[in-house]
Amino acid sequence: MSRRWATARGLLRLCGARDAGEAIRDVREEAIARRTGGHARGRVAVWVARELVTVAWYELRDGDMTRRSKSIFPLLALRLAARNVSRRPAIPLLAALTLALGYGAAGAIFGVYTGFSRPLPVPEGDSVHWLRVLDERGNPVGMTLGDLEALQQGTRAFAELGAYETASVSMRVPAGFPVRLSHAAMTLEVFHLLRAEPLVGRLPVDDDGGRAVLIGHNVWTDYFEADPAVVGETVRIDAVDRVIVGVMHEGHRFPFQQDVWSVIEPGGAGASLEIAGRLGDGITADQAIIDASRVLEARRRAGGETLGLRVRLPAFTEERGEGGESLALATLLGLVICLLLVSCSNVSNLLLGRALVRADSLAVHSAIGAGPAQLVVQMLLEAILIALSGALAGVVIAAGAILYIQSTLHGHWGYYWMRVQFEPAVVLFTLALALATGLLSGMLPALRLGRADLGEILRSNAAGVVGPGRRRMSRWLLNGQVTFSCIALIIAALMAGAMLRSRTASDFRADDVYALSVSFSTEGYEDPERRRALRAALEQSAALDARIGALVASNVLPGLENQGDVPQIEGVAIDPEVGRKRTLVLAVTPGYFELFNLSLLSGRRFESIDGAGERVALVSDAFVHHHLDGGDPIGRRLRLPALAGDEWIRIVGVVANTAAYESAESRAQSRLYLPFAVLEPRSYQLLFTGADRDAAASAVRQALNELDPDLGVSGYFGGRSAVSVEEILRYVRRIYQTVGVLSLMGGVSAALVALIGLYGALTFEVQRSLSEIGLRMAMGATRSDVLRQVTRTGLRSVAPGLALGFLMSAAVAPALGVLRGHMSARDPLIYVGVFLAYVAVATLATLGPGRRAARLDPARVLRSD
Amino acid sequence: MTGPRATSDYLGEFEHLVLLAVMALGEQAYGVPIRRLIAQRADREVSFGAVYSTLRRLQAKGHVQFSNQPASGFAGGRPRRVARTTASGVRAVHAAQRRLRRMAEPLGEAGS
């Protein structure tokens, strides 16, 4: 009988059908007759399904009540299940723990996923859309006020449409120096489509003429002492006087994490607006996309452009972020659920194995009238009990993980609608998952028992359930699991290793170097000369101020460099391997190396004149080893095609390597330093020292304020306080740690899943070869011989999977970006450690079945044959 | 007649059809042929679920008994559980037929 029919029979038995075998034979015979009579396969399938449902329905309806109350509604059975679970608790506990890790990980990921993909927190926020326009190559196309007008006039699909753009601005505040804030300039329609209501004051109106500004609740409390009289006051933002007309509610940070809002002045907006809107009644997103594409393309054609546009209309909070975090999270969730499914199959094997071990008690049950249905329900209940206890622990794990993530990111979520928290939905999701997986893992042995005759099982000790084909398949499955879990465990261990090693290294000074971010948004600073002059003046006044130890500027923070290039060195052929290795490029002012205690190995450091005339650069020791095989680099010339084009740059000095993290890979990262004046970026970090941090930060702000009273600076985490480089690196490290902890959870869970699989498979194996073991013992084999044999069988059965897992890990791990050079992807310590741990735990998993086999009474086994 | 006796003698319309089919099929009275016969002669498509349920009810009333018959061909030689009418079943059919005829007498030929 094919597997499908057998499954159907199992299901019918589950419903209490006494004549399930007869019914299946009848339905099958009739189905074959219909097929040969020319009925279409699909119609016959539908007929079969309907017939089976009807049979089940009549069985449930007509079945003997006492019978049913024993088999389906089972206070008694529940108690029995609980007793069975608690009688031999070790394995159910292990299963519950495995499931708990899986549920915990799934719950935590679900929590983060829902936290990230919340709708916009405004009335009917999920109906606010973002009109995302891309060119043919998929690059975003900025919108203009003209586009907005054309859309407002030419489309019917939208009830409301508005545009906004964001920027960082400097604002003068009543007390203290100017601060840097996130600003959004919006059209008036945006305020209305958000249904925005200010907490104090009013929204801007047309007559305000663009001078009106709304401040956020955080700005109001931080800088204006939450004074309602702030409405009507004048503030200077980017050197322009504006009037505060209102204060927004605490939860309003539209569009991303904004602090202040103003109205776009006609002609004042750039060409990089974003458009948001609400659809008209009964209009679908697809209709609106067609409508908007028509208008925008007509406008582009009229302007002589031929490139096509692609319009998308996601909900406002969707498709944000470059990496598609939501997609990554959904993939991760999918993987965890796959893992849970595998663990379900293992738990079900485990239950079946336990059931076979309890054959005596099953026989007694059967003798006093328990049918397969009752035993099936019994098993189902045991599975659900295990799953639910796993779920309770899983909820605790999910809560812990979410609280940990919250504390790690302490409010820096990126977008204001994102809010990861432990909420009822997480509990519900975890419990629902537990129920579903519990049912599934209970159903599998149920269906198998349903297929096999109970007496047959009891007589043959598992051979009736596990034929040779099935054994081969389950061995494949087991090896697949071992391979998968091995990869997961190695990757998890690598990540955990990377996490541990991502302690900041002590080879550069970080704990008493403080950072403030400067950004030039005020008009007039487009000219790099003006920015250079301001910086030079700032360096001069800092040099005279006793509160500041040293002050330098750098385009990035050490340890967080991400700008890089592949250098072309004069006279050196590009080695394809080395060529792929990027060099990090930093622009720094002359005092940078002294500030971070980076010693000069040869040549000279930067001088203030560098940056004008011939281009020069310093390189790190690692650069010399990577690109010049340790040869003398001084005087050699190179080009940075991506960053500096064709211009030649001469190497004038070599400095010591820096590593932000304690790992050989981090130390071996090559760096190239350019004089700051070459790039003179519009935003950079001021790095300074001082005996008293606050005094030093205040001195820097004061010096800047004297040079330009409209220029604001901010700390790394926003706000006023300057933080040390060490604190910033520690924050970044905690993000790695979170990823590390979560992946370690996943890896350990995967390994436990495979070990439970091994335990189940061995239980079967022992049960199957009882007579062989009995014979061996009768012929003189000792208990320890038997134990050794079972352990050997167990280890041998996981060996191929383990070997494949190690090979695949070694192949896959180097592609892991998340290691970020903190860890070698083929770190022998990790591989050996994982191997030993795996073998140790696999041996432990074989002990249970092994001990059971060793305790056998050979005489009894042989007699029962 | 006493109440319970009347109830067990009384046949519902579908019970009547199934019992007639069992009688007609003899040694071949199991799900598929019963269902087919009812479909052919009574022009009525019924589900297996209904047939089994009715057979069980008839068994409880003592009108049919089940026995294992070796089946040939399709069932692969495995024994088939076939239904067989008991004396009480035959009596019940006759009684039901009589009741029907009496009820139909006023209609003359059309009712027979």
Side-chain angles (χ1 to χ4, degrees), chain A residues 529-849:
Chain A
E529 273 313 316
R530 193 168 162 204
R531 300 201 292 272
R532 193 171 301 150
L534 181 124
R535 181 175 54 80
L538 177 68
E539 281 166 359
Q540 271 178 10
S541 28
L544 296 173
D545 196 318
R547 289 171 295 176
I548 304 171
L551 178 129
V552 297
S554 165
N555 60 340
V556 282
L557 285 168
L560 299 179
E561 303 97 334
N562 54 5
Q563 235 186 1
D565 206 340
V566 181
Q568 291 174 2
I569 302 166
E570 194 177 27
V572 175
I574 300 173
D575 176 346
E577 277 307 308
V578 175
R580 226 176 286 146
K581 197 135 195 164
R582 281 187 346 150
T583 287
L584 295 174
V585 179
L586 293 87
V588 299
T589 55
Y592 184 88
F593 305 102
E594 290 91 334
L595 182 73
F596 285 107
N597 291 342
L598 296 180
S599 49
L600 182 73
L601 302 178
S602 63
R604 65 167 177 88
R605 293 197 177 93
F606 286 137
E607 288 155 14
S608 44
I609 194 150
D610 289 330
E614 188 196 22
R615 291 216 165 166
V616 293
L618 267 76
V619 293
S620 69
D621 200 21
F623 182 97
V624 179
H625 285 281
H626 268 305
H627 297 284
L628 296 164
D629 284 333
D632 183 16
I634 306 296
R636 302 287 289 265
R637 298 199 305 166
L638 57 85
R639 281 198 283 224
L640 296 171
L643 289 178
D646 275 345
E647 207 168 330
W648 284 108
I649 301 168
R650 193 163 56 84
I651 299 173
V652 294
V654 181
V655 289
N657 293 328
T658 52
Y661 305 101
E662 269 183 10
S663 67
E665 288 73 20
S666 180
R667 267 194 196 101
Q669 175 63 55
S670 67
R671 287 177 172 76
L672 185 139
Y673 300 90
L674 291 172
F676 195 82
V678 173
L679 297 185
E680 201 65 51
R682 284 189 79 150
S683 58
Y684 55 85
Q685 302 290 330
L686 282 174
L687 301 161
F688 55 94
T689 57
D692 178 341
R693 167 173 58 183
D694 292 337
S698 175
V700 173
R701 284 176 190 277
Q702 191 185 344
L704 257 179
N705 196 48
E706 279 162 13
L707 295 167
D708 183 347
D710 288 313
L711 190 65
V713 289
S714 61
Y716 185 80
F717 299 113
R720 279 172 159 163
S721 53
V723 283
S724 73
V725 173
E726 174 67 28
E727 281 172 89
I728 296 164
L729 291 176
R730 208 180 299 145
Y731 165 72
V732 175
R733 200 172 63 225
R734 289 191 72 169
I735 296 176
Y736 291 149
Q737 284 175 347
T738 310
V739 175
V741 166
L742 284 179
S743 47
L744 200 61
M745 253 167 76
V748 169
S749 172
L752 281 178
V753 165
L755 291 173
I756 286 188
L758 176 65
Y759 181 93
L762 274 180
T763 307
F764 268 131
E765 196 67 26
V766 167
Q767 213 61 26
R768 194 183 60 84
S769 43
L770 278 183
S771 47
E772 186 196 322
I773 295 171
L775 201 63
R776 281 170 61 93
M777 289 178 88
M779 288 171 71
T782 61
R783 277 163 204 263
S784 54
D785 287 340
V786 172
L787 190 63
R788 256 201 307 278
Q789 184 204 345
V790 172
T791 307
R792 225 180 5 246
T793 312
L795 292 182
R796 208 179 294 148
S797 63
V798 295
L802 207 57
L804 188 63
F806 272 87
L807 285 177
M808 283 178 72
S809 303
V812 169
L816 281 178
V818 71
L819 299 179
R820 288 183 170 236
H822 302 160
M823 190 83 190
S824 157
R826 291 181 185 146
D827 191 299
L829 207 64
I830 295 284
Y831 283 71
V832 172
V834 167
F835 178 77
L836 290 179
Y838 216 104
V839 170
V841 186
T843 312
L844 269 181
T846 62
L847 279 185

Side-chain angles (χ1 to χ4, degrees), chain B residues 65-80:
Chain B
Q65 272 180 352
F66 288 97
S67 61
N68 282 339
Q69 292 281 326
S72 58
F74 176 77
R78 290 180 73 172
R80 262 292 188 193

Side-chain angles (χ1 to χ4, degrees), chain A residues 15 68 76 190 234 288 315 321 475 598 663 718 816:
Chain A
C15 298
R68 216 159 4 113
L76 201 69
V190 178
T234 302
R475 211 165 284 166
L598 296 180
S663 67
L816 281 178

